[in-house]
Amino acid sequence: MSVHKLEIAGRPRGPDTPEALGFRPLYRQVKAIFVRRLVDGVWAPGAVLPSEGQLAAEIGVSQGTVRKALDELATENLVVRRQGRGTFVAEHDERRILFQFFKLAPDQGAPRFPDSVVLSVTTGPAEEAERAALDLAENAGVTRIRRLRSFDGAPLIVETLSLPQQLFPGLEGGPIPNNLYSLFAGRYGVTIASARERLKAVALTADDAAALGVPAGGPALQIDRVALSLDGTPVEHRLSLCLTEEVHYLSDLR
Amino acid sequence: MSVHKLEIAGRPRGPDTPEALGFRPLYRQVKAIFVRRLVDGVWAPGAVLPSEGQLAAEIGVSQGTVRKALDELATENLVVRRQGRGTFVAEHDERRILFQFFKLAPDQGAPRFPDSVVLSVTTGPAEEAERAALDLAENAGVTRIRRLRSFDGAPLIVETLSLPQQLFPGLEGGPIPNNLYSLFAGRYGVTIASARERLKAVALTADDAAALGVPAGGPALQIDRVALSLDGTPVEHRLSLCLTEEVHYLSDLR
DNA sequence: AAGTGGTCTAGACCACATT
DNA sequence: ATGTGGTCTAGACCACTTG
């Protein structure tokens, strides 16, 4: 059993607690403990967490406090709760990615995952834009993956990913699977937790148009994505160019 | 004081409760009561709700149950909670719209709200696409607003809104403010609660290009929005065409 | 000082899944 | 039957805002 230093030990907050540092509720401290376990891989994707009661007893708080911490993790899709079964570490299976990270859907028919063909994998020093997006040092290196993604053989997306070499060493050596986030988690212990996408409409360059097999100059949806890991570090930059004749990007505003 | 029929009166659920209808927690029933009050305008935008304790006493449940209902409403941005002050009905002020419903932001500089110039306001029978989007009957009428939106006089968006005449009678008569959602709430008692946007990259038609003051055929971001009211009814269809040279659409994936 | 939402606890019981 | 998460309650206390 591990030992944790909670800012507040037992029940009432002592008046000697430094109040200048701002108030931090117990359940957030507990949540931080859990996030740490996810980051460290103590709780690996797919695994079952101990029950609420066990966690409460271990850490020394009430079950309700553990519950509130787990509820927040569930809201952030880091954990999945299933009544009667238990609480599980979220996995990057195809379903989840389709739901959470892949917002392009066919105008007609059910959402699905495109096939991928890798066009090239290269390594080199990070460019200015990549360093900015990924928060890298000046001498950092990146691995770049360029690939074409299709529905039933019809080219849909041509995209270039930039990944920090330090985080994903040897990536350029092996095969590149279609589901990259699953690879990141399984081989490198890096869990993608969130992403921010910036969208523009652009005219296709000759190069990109050729890759997609369409005339140059036509409109394409450009998606500039930065994906963040569990601890908030940017770990992937991805520039996608999408043909949107029979496909759209879905954004729910709530 | 109003009277509510809760499926379960006191504390324990009797075994005679029809279980085939599925389980519906108390706090969701309470939440439904609150939503009804919002829909009916009993609680108008900007107003303060009674305190948790008062609501609990009135309805006959514990404060914790009221709290959970209010928490969900707060998550859905229907209500705003402020510690020490109270719980307020959410308003469609410019800040909220900018944060929740306007996802276009300048590449450089802080997010802001564009100016609008109304190009035309017309009424007529709903077309096929409008009926589908707004779930209208075959003989229903719509009011269409076409307007140009700009940053500092630089045209950014040309858009056409379609609104059910039945919901917004007389809309074509008066002036059209920049903040439509505020008008919907104030004049028609219709609160926009959520929206679904479908994005594509398209080539500008001669007509749209002329409105925007750019050459025809250039790329534009097409945003097809359907906005839903509190009770889930589609109440607005909006087709926007945006120049994204110096602006992007922001989408957070979490 | 008083009132509000926010946190934390302890305990009871319900719904769900598995054994 | 057992174990899990989910709901509901009651009460205490904390943090924040206002008079």
Side-chain angles (χ1 to χ4, degrees):
Chain A
M1 180 194 290
S2 46
V3 176
H4 315 283
K5 294 184 220 164
L6 295 182
E7 287 161 17
I8 309 97
R11 291 171 52 220
R13 215 138 316 184
D16 53 344
T17 304
E19 41 192 288
L21 297 178
F23 175 62
R24 204 181 164 211
L26 231 199
Y27 73 87
R28 285 210 192 271
Q29 302 174 42
V30 173
K31 181 185 170 189
I33 294 173
F34 294 165
V35 169
R36 171 65 66 96
R37 292 185 186 180
L38 294 171
V39 172
D40 292 349
V42 177
W43 291 342
V48 186
L49 271 56
S51 74
E52 294 179 351
Q54 289 170 21
L55 289 170
E58 180 206 337
I59 299 181
V61 300
S62 79
Q63 181 175 339
T65 299
V66 166
R67 161 168 288 275
K68 195 151 188 189
L70 290 177
D71 279 344
E72 286 208 350
L73 293 178
T75 300
E76 297 168 19
N77 295 308
L78 301 182
V79 125
V80 177
R81 319 198 70 178
R82 276 180 265 194
Q83 185 174 98
R85 295 192 54 196
T87 304
F88 302 79
V89 183
E91 284 184 279
H92 275 110
D93 55 6
E94 210 157 281
R95 257 172 231 84
R96 184 192 165 190
I97 290 189
L98 205 51
F99 183 76
Q100 191 181 355
F101 289 114
F102 190 77
K103 308 304 286 181
L104 284 175
D107 293 342
Q108 322 260 325
R112 56 201 185 117
F113 213 53
D115 304 319
S116 298
V117 174
V118 173
L119 302 178
S120 69
V121 180
T122 62
T123 64
E127 289 173 13
E128 171 68 32
E130 291 167 328
R131 289 208 312 272
L134 295 173
D135 200 15
L136 295 177
E138 195 149 343
N139 57 352
V142 294
T143 299
R144 298 191 191 88
I145 301 172
R146 188 169 162 84
R147 61 179 184 174
L148 181 66
R149 316 187 73 178
S150 312
F151 276 160
D152 301 326
L156 179 71
I157 307 171
V158 59
E159 65 187 6
T160 302
L161 295 88
S162 304
L163 304 156
Q165 271 185 296
Q166 190 168 21
L167 267 176
F168 305 105
L171 188 62
E172 66 280 9
I176 307 292
N178 193 6
N179 185 342
L180 279 171
Y181 288 2
S182 183
L183 175 73
F184 294 169
R187 181 165 164 195
Y188 297 100
V190 173
T191 299
I192 303 296
S194 67
R196 161 167 295 196
E197 300 194 322
R198 293 183 171 84
L199 283 67
K200 284 173 178 282
V202 300
L204 282 171
T205 63
D207 194 45
D208 292 324
L212 289 165
V214 297
L221 183 63
Q222 173 185 287
I223 306 176
D224 187 323
R225 167 193 287 193
V226 175
L228 310 180
S229 72
L230 268 178
D231 56 5
T233 310
V235 295
E236 178 203 77
H237 178 241
R238 179 187 300 214
L239 193 67
S240 306
L241 290 163
C242 316
L243 301 178
T244 54
E245 296 267 329
E246 295 171 335
V247 135
H248 61 268
Y249 184 100
L250 186 60
S251 175
D252 276 312
L253 279 41
R254 273 167 292 198
Chain B
M1 181 193 291
S2 45
V3 175
H4 315 282
K5 294 182 218 164
L6 295 182
E7 288 161 16
I8 308 97
R11 292 170 55 220
R13 215 140 314 184
D16 52 344
T17 303
E19 40 193 291
L21 297 179
F23 174 62
R24 201 176 165 217
L26 231 199
Y27 72 87
R28 284 207 192 272
Q29 302 175 41
V30 173
K31 181 185 169 188
I33 294 173
F34 294 165
V35 169
R36 171 65 66 96
R37 293 185 185 181
L38 293 171
V39 171
D40 293 348
V42 178
W43 291 341
V48 188
L49 271 58
S51 73
E52 294 179 351
Q54 289 170 22
L55 290 170
E58 179 207 338
I59 299 180
V61 300
S62 80
Q63 182 175 338
T65 299
V66 166
R67 163 168 287 274
K68 194 150 187 187
L70 290 177
D71 279 345
E72 286 207 351
L73 293 178
T75 299
E76 297 167 20
N77 294 309
L78 301 182
V79 124
V80 177
R81 319 198 70 179
R82 276 180 265 194
Q83 184 174 103
R85 296 192 54 194
T87 304
F88 302 79
V89 183
E91 285 185 278
H92 275 110
D93 56 7
E94 210 155 282
R95 256 172 232 85
R96 183 191 166 189
I97 290 188
L98 205 52
F99 184 75
Q100 191 182 355
F101 289 113
F102 190 77
K103 308 304 286 182
L104 285 175
D107 293 342
Q108 320 263 327
R112 58 203 185 115
F113 214 52
D115 303 318
S116 297
V117 174
V118 173
L119 302 178
S120 69
V121 180
T122 62
T123 64
E127 290 173 12
E128 170 67 31
E130 290 166 328
R131 289 209 311 273
L134 295 172
D135 201 14
L136 294 177
E138 195 150 342
N139 58 353
V142 293
T143 300
R144 297 191 191 88
I145 300 172
R146 186 168 162 85
R147 61 180 183 172
L148 181 66
R149 315 186 75 179
S150 313
F151 275 160
D152 301 326
L156 180 70
I157 308 170
V158 59
E159 64 186 7
T160 302
L161 294 88
S162 303
L163 304 156
Q165 270 185 296
Q166 191 168 19
L167 266 176
F168 305 104
L171 187 63
E172 66 279 10
I176 306 291
N178 193 7
N179 185 342
L180 279 170
Y181 288 0
S182 183
L183 174 74
F184 294 169
R187 181 165 162 196
Y188 298 100
V190 173
T191 299
I192 303 295
S194 66
R196 162 166 294 196
E197 300 194 321
R198 292 183 171 83
L199 283 66
K200 283 174 179 281
V202 300
L204 282 170
T205 64
D207 194 43
D208 292 323
L212 289 165
V214 296
L221 183 64
Q222 173 185 286
I223 306 177
D224 187 323
R225 166 193 289 194
V226 174
L228 310 179
S229 72
L230 267 178
D231 57 5
T233 311
V235 294
E236 178 203 77
H237 178 240
R238 180 187 298 214
L239 193 67
S240 305
L241 290 164
C242 315
L243 300 179
T244 54
E245 296 266 329
E246 297 171 331
V247 134
H248 61 269
Y249 184 100
L250 187 60
S251 175
D252 275 312
L253 279 43
R254 273 168 292 196

